[in-house]
Amino acid sequence: MRWKLKSSAYKRVPSRDAAMDLDVETPAKMADGGAPSWRMSLPHVCVATLTSFLFGYHSGVVNEPLESISTDLGFAGNTLAEGLVVSICLGGAFVGCLFSGSIADGIGRRRAFQLSALPMIIGAAVSALTNSLEGMLLGRFLVGTGMGLGPPVASLYITEVSPPSVRGTYGSFVQIATCLGIVVSLLIGTPVKDIDRWWRVCFWVAAVPATLQALGMEFCAESPQWLYKCGRTTEAEIQFEKLLGPLHVKSAMAELSRSERGDDGENVKYSELFYGRNFNVVFIGTTLFALQQLSGINSVFYFSSTVFRSVGVPPNLANICMGIANLSGSIVAMLLMDKLGRKVLLSGSFLGMAFAMGLQAVGANRHHLGSASVYLSVGGMLLFVLTFSLGAGPVPGLLLPEIFPNKIRAKAMALCMSVHWFVVLAASGATWSTSSVHNVFLSLCGSSNICAAPYFISEFEATTTYMISI
């Protein structure tokens, strides 16, 4: 069934009731007989993904320069201080993520992006200019708050401004941008051992994309869903026209009105996420993000250098191999997301990671195989990163905003990603110890991939159907 327009000419109608003029009983093609062009929304999505690029960049920016930083700032050999410099971003990200939902609902998606860029700019400048460990920790913590605030808003924004036909593809841009950020940070850090105080340049570089995002968001569209939720219907129509074109505004507004039918328009409190009809979908969402991290991705990244070094591969080449595997999987996920669907990629990803962990376990415990055991370990790590980036990496951040009702979407995403950061902190603390912990961690994560993931995916599918029906 096609949308039934009451007139062939497009007229902007400023009331919510007028958006109900269309027949919205079943989803259908847009008014002109086809889907909206992806070209109009692409620039807005690209600006939004700069926050994911920054997330990847700051995650890897201290890897290569850490030794130079510790020498110049006077804490060389202090493993606790070095660990804090690397991980204090995670604590800042947890704090920033806790407030991301309230900020995105309170001031809108565009202003939330600009607010998240501010501590990244200031934190990068503080880190580049500091002459003490305390200054470096302060700068990294500020950067972390921006890292925690930005990604949940990016997931919300991309879902809300993308045409349905390319929403999965655009959602995959988040993972690709993160991979590119990590790769660029490694490349920028390469001269650090040859050029004195080059590590300061590495931090100054991080301020450039943050500034570009803060400025670029001035020219980007605001989320029509957020405007509609605030009662600013006419402005929502204007933004839809900017994102989809004038021919698709009335049908988009009708679909938005249908999806929001029964919503009283008031902001939800965090306490409301823990009971009633919201609890099931939030519980499944937080569990998916927990499984994403408990899958073992942190353990693989933390111990990859040790495994590669044991086979004689230089650390720089090892980082490049891991980066290529991560980026390749993300590109494949982008191409398949809207064709195979979220559930297929997520299920295949968890099963693939479980198989890759099996290869690593065999390689680590079958020394009588000689060089074959090392190749099994290395191959297992690369396969793990590849399969992670195919589904477990990009899908949760894309899937959850799609099924959360508009009323709870921002705060529910903030809660789910806060659990994500909490698990990252716990996992990083666990994997800082010994290789024996690594083996135990891999076993537990492999079991969760095989047993828990299919259960929660099935539960998630049922919950999704329920939430959409209401």
Side-chain angles (χ1 to χ4, degrees):
M1 179 183 297
R2 296 180 182 272
W3 295 109
K4 298 177 181 178
L5 292 177
K6 289 194 170 183
S7 65
S8 58
Y10 162 68
K11 297 179 181 178
R12 182 169 295 127
V13 184
S15 67
R16 290 193 182 193
D17 295 335
M20 298 298 295
D21 287 343
L22 303 178
D23 182 359
V24 292
E25 291 179 359
T26 56
K29 292 184 179 180
M30 295 296 182
D32 64 347
S37 172
W38 52 268
R39 294 179 178 85
M40 299 184 70
S41 55
L42 180 61
H44 309 270
V45 171
C46 289
V47 175
T49 54
L50 282 174
T51 194
S52 300
F53 176 87
L54 286 163
F55 169 75
Y57 186 91
H58 283 293
S59 297
V61 69
V62 296
N63 287 355
E64 288 293 325
L66 184 58
E67 183 178 345
S68 299
I69 293 172
S70 61
T71 300
D72 289 347
L73 299 186
F75 59 91
N78 187 338
T79 56
L80 177 60
E82 292 176 352
L84 284 173
V85 169
V86 173
S87 64
I88 196 169
C89 268
L90 303 179
F94 179 74
V95 173
C97 193
L98 286 175
F99 295 98
S100 63
S102 299
I103 292 172
D105 274 343
I107 64 176
R109 310 329 188 204
R110 291 171 60 239
R111 298 305 179 204
F113 275 120
Q114 293 174 322
L115 186 61
S116 71
L118 185 62
M120 287 193 174
I121 296 171
I122 297 175
V126 170
S127 299
L129 294 172
T130 188
N131 291 309
S132 66
L133 171 61
E134 293 76 16
M136 177 60 66
L137 294 178
L138 174 61
R140 293 283 287 166
F141 183 83
L142 289 173
V143 164
T145 59
M147 289 171 60
L149 174 58
V153 180
S155 296
L156 290 172
Y157 184 80
I158 292 173
T159 298
E160 293 171 347
V161 304
S162 302
S165 59
V166 293
R167 188 172 292 149
T169 301
Y170 282 172
S172 301
F173 284 10
V174 170
Q175 182 74 8
I176 293 175
T178 302
C179 297
L180 289 175
I182 295 173
V183 171
V184 170
S185 70
L186 296 175
L187 293 176
I188 293 293
T190 301
V192 71
K193 295 182 179 179
D194 301 321
I195 302 177
D196 187 37
R197 300 199 174 187
W198 180 259
W199 60 268
R200 297 185 184 273
V201 176
C202 296
F203 287 110
W204 280 122
V205 168
V208 176
T211 304
L212 289 176
Q213 183 176 51
L215 296 175
M217 270 296 153
E218 280 297 314
F219 305 97
C220 289
E222 181 55 272
S223 163
Q225 283 83 349
W226 179 75
L227 292 170
Y228 186 89
K229 178 182 176 182
C230 295
R232 297 156 62 178
T233 309
T234 301
E235 294 178 57
E237 292 176 353
I238 295 173
Q239 301 308 310
F240 269 134
E241 184 174 352
K242 185 186 295 187
L243 294 165
L244 306 177
L247 292 176
H248 303 283
V249 174
K250 292 189 73 174
S251 53
M253 288 298 296
E255 177 63 22
L256 181 57
S257 179
R258 183 189 68 83
S259 66
E260 296 303 313
R261 191 178 298 165
D263 191 349
D264 58 13
E266 296 180 0
N267 287 330
V268 68
K269 298 179 180 179
Y270 274 107
S271 59
E272 295 179 49
L273 302 180
F274 297 97
Y275 62 85
R277 67 182 188 178
N278 296 325
F279 174 75
N280 286 344
V281 69
V282 172
F283 173 72
I284 299 300
T286 55
T287 303
L288 274 180
F289 269 113
L291 284 174
Q292 180 193 64
Q293 296 305 312
L294 289 174
S295 64
I297 187 64
N298 291 295
S299 179
V300 169
F301 276 117
Y302 292 149
F303 289 92
S304 61
S305 298
T306 302
V307 174
F308 278 105
R309 193 179 296 111
S310 67
V311 74
V313 178
N316 288 340
L317 182 57
N319 291 332
I320 292 174
C321 291
M322 297 285 280
I324 291 175
N326 201 2
L327 183 60
S328 300
S330 300
I331 293 174
V332 173
M334 177 190 70
L335 299 175
L336 298 179
M337 191 71 71
D338 287 313
K339 296 180 179 179
L340 296 181
R342 285 54 156 164
K343 181 183 177 182
V344 171
L345 289 179
L346 196 60
S347 301
S349 177
F350 275 113
L351 292 174
M353 286 189 291
F355 176 75
M357 284 180 177
L359 293 181
Q360 293 181 61
V362 171
N365 296 286
R366 297 293 186 273
H367 300 290
H368 63 276
L369 296 177
S371 60
S373 65
V374 177
Y375 294 128
L376 283 174
S377 297
V378 172
M381 281 194 169
L382 293 178
L383 179 62
F384 181 90
V385 173
L386 177 67
T387 53
F388 175 86
S389 60
L390 282 172
V395 168
L398 167 65
L399 189 58
L400 298 185
E402 289 183 324
I403 62 95
F404 285 148
N406 192 23
K407 181 180 178 181
I408 71 166
R409 186 176 293 144
K411 290 185 174 65
M413 277 299 298
L415 178 62
C416 291
M417 293 205 72
S418 295
V419 171
H420 161 271
W421 286 114
F422 178 80
V423 175
V424 170
L425 280 167
S428 63
T431 53
W432 276 352
S433 52
T434 64
S435 59
S436 61
V437 173
H438 170 248
N439 292 332
V440 173
F441 195 59
L442 285 181
S443 301
L444 292 175
C445 294
S447 300
S448 73
N449 289 338
I450 296 173
C451 301
Y455 167 75
F456 281 108
I457 291 169
S458 299
E459 288 295 311
F460 193 85
E461 184 181 48
T463 305
T464 300
T465 304
Y466 168 70
M467 292 302 294
I468 290 176
S469 69
I470 60 175

